[in-house]
Amino acid sequence: MLRRFRTGVIVVSAAAGLTLLSACSGTTARLAPVPSGGTGGQGELAAAATAVKLAATNVGELGKVLTDGDGHTLYRFDKDTAKPPKSACVDDCAKAWPPLLSKGDVQLDGVDKSLVGSVTRDDGTEQVTVNGWPLYTYAKDTTPGDATGQGVNGTWFAATPQGSKAGKSTSDSVKLSADEVDGVGAAVVDQDGFTLYLFTKDSKKPSKSTCDGDCAKLWPPVLTKGDVALDGIAAKLLGSVKRADGTTQATLGGWPLYRYSKDTAPGQAKGMGVKGTWFVIEPNGCKSGTTTSTRTAPAKPTTSAPVTSASSDPYSY
C-alpha cells in the first residue's frame, strides 16, 4: 500500500510503467520533466551532471545513509518540506550546502526507485529528492565518508535511504501526523511517514502496553523522551505510558502506539488486521474502520501526558 505523495515528479520505469520495484545495484531511475519554478540568482549552481548516483552506504556511527557517486554523504534540511517537495536553501545557503542536481537518469544502488523524484528549484534547476526531501552535499565534507554536516544548527541531518534523518536524533524527536494511507484511509504516521498501530490486547483506560520481548521486536513501540509534535491531531488525545522496561511509550486516545517492522517504506500498512488484534490507528485515537474520522486543525507541539505503569501481562502477536 502506497501513500499519496504529492511530489513534483513521478519516477517511472521504462520497462514497467508505474510498477514499483525495489532497486538493485546498477539500476537507474529516470526523472520525469518538471515545470520550471522560475529563475533565481544561483546560475553558478546550475551545472549539474546529466546523471548522478544515489547509493546506500555505511558511514561511521550513522549507519546506512545516502551518498553520491563520489561517496560524499547526502543531507536533508529541516526547513525544507517533503509534501510538497520544496527547497528552502538558496543563495549563500546553497553554496555551503550544494543541492544534488540532475538533468537525467539517477543511478541507484540499494535505494528504492519508487522513493526517488525531483523538485524544480527557484533557479529552474532540478534537485533530486528521496521520499520528497531535497538532497544536498556539504561543502566542508572534503573526503568520501565524511559526515561533518550531521546535526549542524539542529536542522541538517544525513539522509537515510528512506529519506528519514540518520542518527540518534530521530529516536528523540517524535512527531505524529494525520494522513491518508491507500486502502486504509485516515491514519496516524510518525516523523518518518511510517504508519502507526494499536494493539487490542492493550488497554486504553488506563493506558497499558502488553507487547514486550519478541512482540516488541516485531511491533516496535513509539518511544519518547520529551515533547511530541502534532500535526492535524488534537493535543488532548496525546499521552504516554511507562513500559515494563522503564521506557516511555506515546499513546493516542489512551492506546499505546507501535510501528510494524514489516512496513519497510512510508505509506505501507502491512500490519492492518494482523491476528485480528493489530489495527491502524486513526487521528481521532480510534481503531481504523470503526468511525468516520475527519482531520482536526493542526495542533501545537506538546509534552506527553503523565505516565502510568505498564503491564507485563502475557501477549500474543
Side-chain angles (χ1 to χ4, degrees):
M1 300 179 186
L2 297 177
R3 188 179 179 186
R4 298 178 183 130
F5 292 115
R6 296 182 180 176
T7 56
V9 297
I10 300 175
V11 182
V12 297
S13 165
L18 296 177
T19 303
L20 302 180
L21 301 173
S22 296
C24 300
S25 178
T27 59
T28 60
R30 183 176 295 276
L31 298 184
V34 293
S36 173
T39 58
Q42 301 181 71
E44 69 276 9
L45 298 172
T50 57
V52 298
K53 181 178 180 179
L54 291 181
T57 307
N58 284 311
V59 174
E61 295 181 355
L62 294 178
K64 190 161 289 188
V65 300
L66 290 172
T67 58
D68 66 10
D70 296 321
H72 292 287
T73 302
L74 295 173
Y75 299 86
R76 47 170 279 180
F77 185 32
D78 279 357
K79 292 185 179 181
D80 289 348
T81 61
K83 295 197 306 179
K86 175 66 177 177
S87 171
C89 181
V90 297
D91 300 327
D92 288 342
C93 173
K95 295 176 182 177
W97 301 89
L100 182 66
L101 303 179
S102 177
K103 293 181 180 179
D105 293 348
V106 177
Q107 299 176 355
L108 305 177
D109 184 356
V111 182
D112 186 345
K113 76 173 85 173
S114 69
L115 297 179
V116 181
S118 71
V119 62
T120 303
R121 294 176 56 80
D122 288 346
D123 63 357
T125 57
E126 292 181 31
Q127 183 173 3
V128 180
T129 64
V130 168
N131 199 15
W133 289 100
L135 297 177
Y136 306 82
T137 55
Y138 185 39
K140 293 184 179 180
D141 284 349
T142 57
T143 306
D146 285 350
T148 61
Q150 175 72 3
V152 168
N153 294 328
T155 55
W156 289 93
F157 297 92
T160 71
Q162 294 77 36
S164 57
K165 293 187 285 189
K168 296 180 179 179
S169 60
T170 56
S171 64
D172 296 333
S173 177
V174 177
K175 182 178 181 180
L176 307 179
S177 300
D179 211 328
E180 297 282 333
V181 173
D182 284 352
V184 175
V188 177
V189 300
D190 67 8
Q191 65 278 359
D192 298 320
F194 283 85
T195 304
L196 298 182
Y197 300 84
L198 62 80
F199 184 34
T200 57
K201 291 193 176 183
D202 288 347
S203 65
K204 67 175 184 177
K205 290 184 180 180
S207 297
K208 182 183 296 185
S209 171
T210 61
C211 181
D212 299 297
D214 289 341
C215 175
K217 294 178 182 178
L218 186 60
W219 300 89
V222 177
L223 302 179
T224 178
K225 295 181 180 179
D227 292 353
V228 175
L230 300 176
D231 182 2
I233 296 173
K236 66 181 181 180
L237 296 176
L238 179 67
S240 64
V241 63
K242 189 72 70 175
R243 293 177 53 79
D245 61 1
T247 57
T248 301
Q249 183 174 3
T251 65
L252 194 67
W255 289 107
L257 298 175
Y258 305 85
R259 271 193 187 186
Y260 185 38
S261 62
K262 294 184 179 180
D263 284 347
T264 57
Q268 294 180 347
K270 296 178 182 178
M272 180 65 177
V274 168
K275 301 292 185 181
T277 56
W278 290 94
F279 296 90
V280 172
I281 189 167
E282 294 183 344
N284 57 13
C286 296
K287 182 173 68 173
S288 179
T290 59
T291 63
T292 301
S293 63
T294 57
R295 294 192 181 190
T296 60
K300 294 181 179 179
T302 181
T303 55
S304 300
V307 297
T308 58
S309 298
S311 168
S312 57
D313 292 341
Y315 56 83
S316 63
Y317 50 93

